[in-house]
Amino acid sequence: MRALAEPRRRAILRLVARDELAAGEIATAFDVTRTAVSQHLTVLKNAGLLVERREGTRRLYRARPEGLAGLREFLDETWAASLGVARQLVEAERAARDGAEGGKEARRAG
């Protein structure tokens, strides 16, 4: 998650999600130095999110879907838990509102 906290790294990952790109091609998409892009690529590679392939002097990068599997699982679990809490809050609010309205009707009828 730390590797994806930086917006440029997320953008790099989007670039290489569908296509294998050379480091130079990736660098042209950003208004930073090639050295900065290289550092971002290293962080993503070390996090297991990218795979690097050498072709002569070129370094080609592509996303590593299995590297994202653990992150996706974590986010899915977190999202499901958050939805569960939201559902409980809505149900509790509805029960409190229905209980208050029921009390008003009982007082009117009495």
Side-chain angles (χ1 to χ4, degrees), residues 13-102:
L13 206 53
R14 282 187 209 100
L15 283 175
V16 297
R18 293 185 194 102
D19 297 319
E20 184 178 59
L21 296 174
E25 293 172 303
I26 295 168
T28 61
F30 300 95
D31 191 23
V32 295
T33 66
R34 284 182 181 240
T35 302
V37 170
S38 178
Q39 290 171 350
H40 289 308
L41 290 169
T42 298
V43 169
L44 290 167
K45 189 172 75 169
N46 290 342
L49 301 172
L50 290 183
V51 64
E52 175 188 279
R53 181 175 68 86
R54 291 179 187 239
E55 188 176 87
T57 60
R58 295 175 62 192
R59 292 180 184 197
L60 301 165
Y61 295 89
R62 65 178 168 80
R64 190 173 168 265
E66 57 274 15
L68 294 170
L71 176 63
R72 181 176 179 145
E73 184 178 315
F74 169 78
L75 293 174
D76 287 347
E77 289 170 3
T78 303
W79 181 249
S82 295
L83 288 177
V85 169
R87 186 185 74 245
Q88 290 172 351
L89 291 171
V90 168
E91 289 171 356
E93 185 177 308
R94 184 176 297 145
R97 186 185 64 232
D98 291 349
E101 288 175 5

